[in-house]
Amino acid sequence: MTPKRWLRLLLGIALYGGVFIASTALGGLTYFHFGNPRTTCASCHEMTNVHSDWSASSHASVHCRSCHGGALTLDVHAVESHVQRVVRHFAKEAEPTIRLKPDHVLAVHASCASCHPQAFADWQPSKHATTYARIFLDPAHNAVEPPANDCFRCHGMFFPGDIANLVAPVKDERGWALTRTETGVQPAIPCLTCHQIHAPAATTQIASFYDRREATHVSAQLLPVPHVRRGDTPIRVSRDPRQRICQQCHAPNAAHALGTSDDRTPAGVHEGLSCRDCHWSHTNSAKASCAACHPADSHCGLDVEKMDTTFRSPESRHNIHTVSCADCHPNGVPQRRVIQELAKGN
């Protein structure tokens, strides 16, 4: 056989071999991309627990690739994670606890919007739909309390690194600047802050709180009911598990004093109510809350929505969360019958 024929033979073998390998690889990737997660993702023992959680969740009908990217995904971050996991699998290295990286969180956040458009639309105008720039470049707040790592507990649970990786003081100026401008528009409180994708279906509506230090979600049912006091008097706090999530961030100071720090525990005439009794889910709007419980006229005979409270005007000195009858009647609350007689006399 002449050298030329040998060369053709070798090239032919290489060509057919390359086509075979490429076809096999493409077929395998296609199978893993479109196949049942039970026989694909869960075929690796490292994914067994994750698959079990997913199977019992309300997202069990949603394929893994919809949120995490499949074998044929063009998402660089997803491909990188998949390759690293395969390498560790065959190298028999211990698989670390699987966590979503910040870039993955943003991708899942976008998936939430595509599957839950109404909930996402409700969330967008709320104060929870804030960005890193709005939170950490607020000059008024930064003048009182400069940015610190503890801020990430409620504003940036999924941010990688510490505060120095996000903002830095501007030299010769009283202000702060982002270390990376593209971070400024990213959500500081994404959907995963309060929602655990793989949560059991029965508890999905109750939601969870993402603990940055533990890098895990804690079900609202497992969160403690905070003790809040007004002076020496304990405040009756709602047992609604959802409120416990609110109070992870809207919490009183270390002394548990009512109304301190960012505490908004209902007290006064609203003592014992849950945040969700007045605030709508995702929008957090409370505009229609009064009409849901009150008639137009109150005990005083006044329209509750027109009373001097922060519901009517943020400038009011009577906080709607803690307002009591004595705030407007320091000399004693008149009886309803007396009020009615006075009204008739006028």
Side-chain angles (χ1 to χ4, degrees), residues 161-340:
D162 57 25
I163 196 67
N165 301 119
L166 177 64
V167 292
V170 179
K171 293 182 179 179
D172 302 325
E173 294 183 27
R174 292 184 178 181
W176 296 75
L178 294 167
T179 56
R180 293 187 303 167
T181 55
E182 64 271 17
T183 308
V185 297
Q186 294 177 0
I189 310 176
C191 301
L192 291 179
T193 298
C194 300
H195 297 286
Q196 182 181 5
I197 296 177
H198 292 171
T203 62
T204 300
Q205 297 302 319
I206 296 179
S208 305
F209 179 77
Y210 185 80
D211 188 299
R212 175 180 170 84
R213 292 186 176 88
E214 297 296 330
T216 189
H217 282 90
V218 180
S219 172
Q221 294 174 316
L222 299 178
L223 293 171
V225 178
H227 297 283
V228 184
R229 308 179 72 86
R230 173 182 272 160
D232 295 328
T233 305
I235 298 297
R236 181 163 50 90
V237 179
S238 171
R239 311 299 289 187
D240 184 355
R242 297 168 298 181
Q243 176 160 311
R244 301 172 203 171
I245 293 181
C246 303
Q247 291 176 311
Q248 293 302 304
C249 294
H250 299 287
N253 61 14
H256 299 271
L258 177 71
T260 55
S261 296
D262 201 33
D263 177 52
R264 302 180 189 186
T265 302
V269 296
H270 295 136
E271 183 173 351
L273 292 183
S274 166
C275 301
R276 288 284 285 110
D277 287 332
C278 297
H279 293 274
W280 287 81
S281 177
H282 295 112
T283 65
N284 296 316
S285 174
K287 291 182 178 180
S289 59
C290 293
C293 296
H294 296 280
D297 292 337
S298 67
H299 178 86
C300 299
L302 300 176
D303 187 337
V304 292
E305 294 188 5
K306 295 180 181 179
M307 285 184 174
D308 181 18
T309 68
T310 52
F311 179 87
R312 188 188 70 174
S313 171
E315 305 302 323
S316 174
R317 60 190 179 90
H318 300 137
N319 191 321
I320 191 64
H321 295 95
T322 57
V323 66
S324 66
C325 297
D327 290 342
C328 296
H329 302 282
N331 296 324
V333 180
Q335 296 296 318
R336 184 177 182 85
R337 181 174 55 82
V338 174
I339 296 173
Q340 291 174 339

Side-chain angles (χ1 to χ4, degrees), residues 137-153:
L137 299 184
D138 183 347
H141 185 277
N142 290 349
V144 177
E145 184 177 356
N149 285 332
D150 196 52
C151 299
F152 286 137
R153 184 177 183 276

Side-chain angles (χ1 to χ4, degrees), residues 44-59:
C44 295
H45 64 85
E46 296 93 341
M47 301 298 293
T48 302
N49 292 337
V50 176
H51 179 269
S52 297
D53 292 342
W54 167 80
S55 299
S57 74
S58 60
H59 290 104

